[in-house]
Amino acid sequence: QVQVVESGGGLVQPGESLTLSCVVSGTGNRFNLFTLGWHRQAPGRQRERVAVITPAGTTNYGEFVEGRFTISRDNSKNTVYLQMNSLKPEDTAVYYCLFSGSRPTWGQGTQVTVSS
């Protein structure tokens, strides 16, 4: 029953910013109990963890983030965000939202392209 829907991807130039959103439905009012995350996958590479946030608000980031990204959540909206600043061409990938739940559920992904 859980549905995960990402939005906000697009084409930006190096150094610019982009914010991704992920709305989770069908959680039975238990959205606040679970960890959420953003993962990405570029062509020819395995999917890698970008950022995670726990129910308590604790965050963790992939080493490549280097302080450029911020993950946050709004439990009243069943939404998790990824604010990305100082984007690099290497950030180009499909970005996926993960709702950990009792059984993890992935979104369909949203394309982020960083190119001059």
Side-chain angles (χ1 to χ4, degrees):
Q1 289 184 312
V2 174
Q3 295 289 326
V4 179
V5 181
E6 306 98 331
S7 62
L11 173 63
V12 296
Q13 297 184 39
E16 294 185 340
S17 299
L18 199 62
T19 299
L20 307 181
S21 299
C22 171
V23 178
V24 182
S25 61
T27 64
N29 298 314
R30 302 200 304 165
F31 176 86
N32 60 306
L33 301 179
F34 296 100
T35 292
L36 300 114
W38 287 96
H39 295 61
R40 70 185 188 187
Q41 188 166 22
R45 301 183 62 177
Q46 292 188 335
R47 191 170 298 187
E48 61 184 350
R49 178 180 295 173
V50 178
V52 296
I53 184 167
T54 72
T58 302
T59 59
N60 196 18
Y61 299 92
E63 60 182 6
F64 55 83
V65 169
E66 300 174 332
R68 299 176 299 128
F69 299 172
T70 301
I71 186 172
S72 61
R73 65 192 295 165
D74 186 339
N75 291 334
S76 70
K77 296 182 172 65
N78 277 28
T79 301
V80 60
Y81 305 93
L82 184 68
Q83 172 69 44
M84 302 185 291
N85 301 319
S86 301
L87 284 163
K88 306 174 181 179
E90 308 94 271
D91 296 317
T92 296
V94 178
Y95 284 70
Y96 297 91
C97 181
L98 173 64
F99 175 70
S100 63
S102 299
R103 42 189 173 187
T105 303
W106 295 89
Q108 80 290 343
T110 185
Q111 176 72 47
V112 173
T113 302
V114 185
S115 177
S116 60

